[in-house]
């Protein structure tokens, strides 16, 4: 397993190209199952999770062609043509689903397209048990019959899917996406009440509309879908990755640097910009994206609570914690979305951070400096928080299990090297 070595202390200067959003690309790829036409997706990031989803879709009958790099829409990501003339299989095997939980997003489209699906239950992961009960309850309300056997979801819709009013007891990004796709081909009207409002969901909805779906209330917590007979192909450029944007903005801040994030959309990071502003980090919109730097030389400790969009995203909690370890003052960071998303705390503490965890809150007291150390990546966002800490620590940090990073950060080493970081990937 590869490692990454970082020697800290260098301010990052220059520019970083922000890739298309992983968490938009995954449901958008699954949407290709909804039509027998070609769905052309551009600005696709080159990530392990995207490759896993492509492998799964190919097993289901989707023909995928890499169609070069997108240039016409101002993005740099890859262009994929996905076409599912016929569903070849309706089974998503455990060996793929366990590698990437977002595989559950083929469930709704398969049911809508051909009335059946056998999808492995995803199981938990490092950050939590990650149940899918909200997905299954919603699909049942659309008329699906769900049977859980031997670790698999056996779903059928013998009479097709029928629109319904679905009220989510708690908001879920994936459940909103699965039901949005299923309802697009259901008979009649579906209302998704207490839906999540993440920009990646809006991106999916706008692509579905381009494919012929009838959707109202995009970006609000009540989405209304009037099912149609069939969907056709479309071309869609994937929204920039707001989590990658926030991550590299914090890389600039923690190293006392100045980075222009090319392709970033400041409109997607309102809550992040507000928190960073309080921490004395400047995010300045430019005509190419967003520029990140410290305001007056000191990072101030600020309290943060993670919330569903438009609140502060849980996917940036580990990263801002890394930044707070070297802030002036203290920061109380409360994680409200996942039950075990502090796996980065013991690793940051090994680098000299002063963090005390009480239940779902962590009190971070700023220290003068961190000391490089060998550390272990446990999940995608915890891994990148250790990279941020390594960029500011004295001496060398060796990050193990970097495959976690490869799932969500395209060309991370190259992007940081280009801004002056002393970082290298060690092939082992
Ligand atoms: C999506 O996961 C993202 N993944 C996650 O990003 C992100 O952290 C999360 O949304 C929250 O924003 C993708 O989009 C591929 P949820 P998802 O359903 O859909 C509970 C990353 O680092 N829940 O909104 O799985 C669940 O346990 C990843 O890029 C149920 O109880 O998240 C959690 O506590 C990590 N029952 C909360 O809801 C359900 O049926 C939010 O989960 C579904 C979820």
């Amino acid at each position: 397993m590869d490692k990454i070595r970082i020697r800290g202390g260098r301010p990052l200067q220059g520019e970083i190209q922000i890739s298309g959003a992983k968490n938009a690309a995954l449901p958008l790829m699954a949407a290709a199952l909804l039509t027998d036409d070609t769905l052309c997706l551009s600005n696709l990031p080159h990530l392990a999770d995207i490759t896993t989803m492509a492998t799964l879709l190919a097993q289901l009958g989707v023909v995928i062609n890499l169609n070069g790099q997108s240039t016409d829409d101002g993005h740099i990501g890859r262009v994929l043509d996905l076409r599912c003339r016929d569903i070849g299989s309706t089974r998503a095997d455990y060996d793929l689903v366990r590698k990437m939980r977002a595989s559950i997003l083929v469930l709704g489209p398969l049911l809508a397209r051909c009335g059946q699906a056998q999808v492995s239950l995803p199981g938990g992961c490092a950050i939590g048990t990650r149940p899918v009960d909200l997905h299954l309850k919603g699909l049942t309300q659309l008329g699906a019959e769900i049977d859980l056997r031997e670790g698999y979801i056996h779903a059928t819709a013998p009479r097709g899917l029928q629109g319904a009013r679905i009220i989510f007891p708690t908001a879920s990004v994936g459940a909103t996406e699965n039901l949005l796709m299923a309802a697009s081909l259901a008979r009649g009207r579906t209302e998704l009440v207490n839906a999540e409002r993440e920009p990646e969901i809006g991106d999916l909805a706008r692509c579905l509309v381009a494919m012929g779906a009838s959707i109202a209330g995009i970006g609000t917590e009540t989405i209304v879908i009037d099912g149609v007979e069939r969907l056709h192909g479309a071309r869609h450029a994937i929204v920039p990755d707001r989590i990658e944007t926030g991550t590299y903005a914090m890389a600039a801040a923690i190293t006392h640097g100045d980075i222009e994030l090319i392709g970033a959309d400041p409109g997607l990071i309102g809550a992040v910009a507000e928190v960073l502003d309080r921490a004395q980090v400047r995010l300045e919109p430019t005509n190419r994206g967003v520029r990140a730097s410290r305001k007056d030389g000191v990072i101030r400790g600020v309290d943060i609570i993670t919330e569903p969009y438009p609140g502060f995203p849980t996917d940036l909690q580990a990263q801002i914690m890394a930044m707070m370890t070297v802030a002036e003052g203290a920061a109380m960071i409360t994680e409200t979305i996942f039950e075990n998303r502090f796996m980065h705390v013991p690793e940051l503490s090994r680098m000299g951070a002063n963090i005390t965890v009480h239940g779902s809150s962590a009190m971070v007291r700023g220290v003068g400096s961190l000391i490089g150390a060998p550390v272990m990546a446990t999940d995608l966002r915890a891994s990148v928080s250790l990279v941020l800490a390594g960029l500011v620590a004295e001496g060398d940090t060796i990050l193990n299990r970097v495959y976690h990073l490869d799932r969500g950060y395209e060309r991370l080493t190259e992007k940081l090297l280009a801004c002056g970081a002393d970082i290298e990937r060690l092939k082992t």
Side-chain angles (χ1 to χ4, degrees):
M1 280 188 264
D2 290 2
K3 300 176 187 232
I4 285 179
R5 181 200 59 74
I6 306 169
R7 182 161 298 166
R10 294 192 179 181
L12 299 187
Q13 310 276 346
E15 55 189 56
I16 288 180
Q17 176 70 46
I18 295 300
S19 304
K22 165 181 83 82
N23 290 350
L26 293 170
L28 282 164
M29 290 173 74
L33 292 164
L34 292 167
T35 175
D36 57 4
D37 273 353
T38 298
L39 175 60
C40 176
L41 296 175
S42 60
N43 198 30
L44 259 166
H46 191 173
L47 296 169
D49 273 8
I50 302 297
T51 304
T52 304
M53 180 61 88
T55 304
L56 171 57
L57 292 175
Q59 289 179 0
L60 302 177
V62 181
V63 176
I64 300 173
N65 289 305
L66 181 60
N67 189 355
Q69 291 288 103
S70 51
T71 52
D72 55 345
D73 43 30
H75 300 293
I76 52 95
R78 297 177 301 159
V79 180
L80 280 193
D81 287 344
L82 300 98
R83 181 162 200 179
C84 185
R85 288 181 190 279
D86 301 298
I87 299 284
S89 160
T90 57
R91 183 180 174 85
D93 279 330
Y94 175 64
D95 63 338
L96 270 181
V97 176
R98 69 177 172 78
K99 268 202 295 192
M100 189 192 60
R101 306 187 64 269
S103 307
I104 191 74
L105 294 172
V106 304
L107 180 58
L110 283 173
L111 267 178
R113 176 79 185 271
C114 65
Q116 62 165 309
Q118 300 81 40
V119 177
S120 168
L121 280 163
C125 71
I127 64 178
T129 53
R130 312 290 296 275
V132 292
D133 57 307
L134 298 175
H135 300 240
L136 303 184
K137 279 178 195 147
L139 291 168
T140 303
Q141 284 188 259
L142 294 182
E145 290 170 16
I146 306 272
D147 182 20
L148 303 184
R149 282 198 316 273
E150 294 139 18
Y152 276 76
I153 301 161
H154 294 266
T156 55
R159 290 174 297 285
L161 296 177
Q162 175 68 42
R165 177 177 164 82
I166 297 168
I167 301 174
F168 291 114
T170 56
S172 156
V173 171
T176 302
E177 291 166 342
N178 237 332
L179 291 157
L180 183 58
M181 291 189 278
S184 297
L185 289 177
R187 284 188 310 282
R189 171 164 288 192
T190 296
E191 283 183 270
L192 301 181
V193 182
N194 192 26
E196 282 278 17
R197 298 165 50 193
E198 269 65 9
E200 295 74 30
I201 298 172
D203 208 39
L204 172 63
R206 280 185 293 277
C207 180
L208 290 170
V209 167
M211 294 167 71
S214 170
I215 302 173
I218 296 175
T220 74
E221 55 197 23
T222 301
I223 305 175
V224 180
I225 307 106
D226 288 315
V228 295
E229 276 292 309
R230 74 178 288 275
L231 294 177
H232 51 71
R235 278 184 60 82
H236 182 81
I238 290 172
V239 70
D241 195 320
R242 62 193 169 97
I243 305 303
E244 190 189 25
T245 301
T247 301
Y248 289 126
M250 293 178 204
I254 201 170
T255 60
H256 225 306
D258 186 334
I259 302 177
E260 185 174 14
L261 305 168
I262 311 301
D265 178 350
L268 304 180
I269 52 171
V272 178
E274 191 278 329
V275 165
L276 290 179
D277 184 65
R278 282 190 286 127
Q280 302 309 302
V281 175
R282 178 185 297 110
L283 290 190
E284 195 182 343
T286 69
N287 58 13
R288 296 198 300 167
V290 173
R291 189 174 155 206
S293 60
R294 289 193 191 188
K295 276 184 182 175
D296 59 10
V298 172
I299 293 174
R300 300 243 191 281
V302 294
D303 293 347
I304 295 127
I305 297 178
T306 65
E307 294 172 310
Y309 193 86
F312 189 90
T314 174
D315 291 348
L316 281 172
Q317 178 258 105
Q319 297 92 313
I320 199 149
M321 186 182 291
M323 196 177 88
M324 288 295 130
T325 63
V326 293
E328 191 169 85
M332 173 70 88
I333 299 177
T334 302
E335 171 59 54
T336 68
I337 307 294
F338 291 107
E339 66 266 30
N340 187 35
R341 204 169 199 177
F342 284 151
M343 308 281 277
H344 40 288
V345 169
E347 298 304 303
L348 289 170
S349 303
R350 296 182 62 247
M351 297 176 72
N354 180 348
I355 307 171
T356 310
V357 173
H358 295 290
S360 62
S361 292
M363 172 57 83
V364 185
R365 292 178 177 83
V367 294
S369 63
L370 297 178
I371 311 298
V375 288
M376 184 71 73
T378 52
D379 60 88
L380 169 54
R381 308 302 177 181
S383 316
V384 84
S385 83
L386 299 173
V387 171
L388 296 183
L391 288 169
V392 72
E394 291 167 15
D396 283 357
T397 295
I398 305 289
L399 179 62
N400 295 285
R401 293 188 184 170
V402 295
Y403 60 85
H404 287 295
L405 276 176
D406 295 339
R407 297 191 49 188
Y409 287 90
E410 183 177 26
R411 296 183 300 106
L412 175 130
T413 311
E414 295 89 328
K415 291 183 177 182
L416 291 174
L417 262 175
C419 289
D422 182 349
I423 183 171
E424 65 175 321
R425 188 169 181 130
L426 309 171
K427 297 283 179 198
T428 55

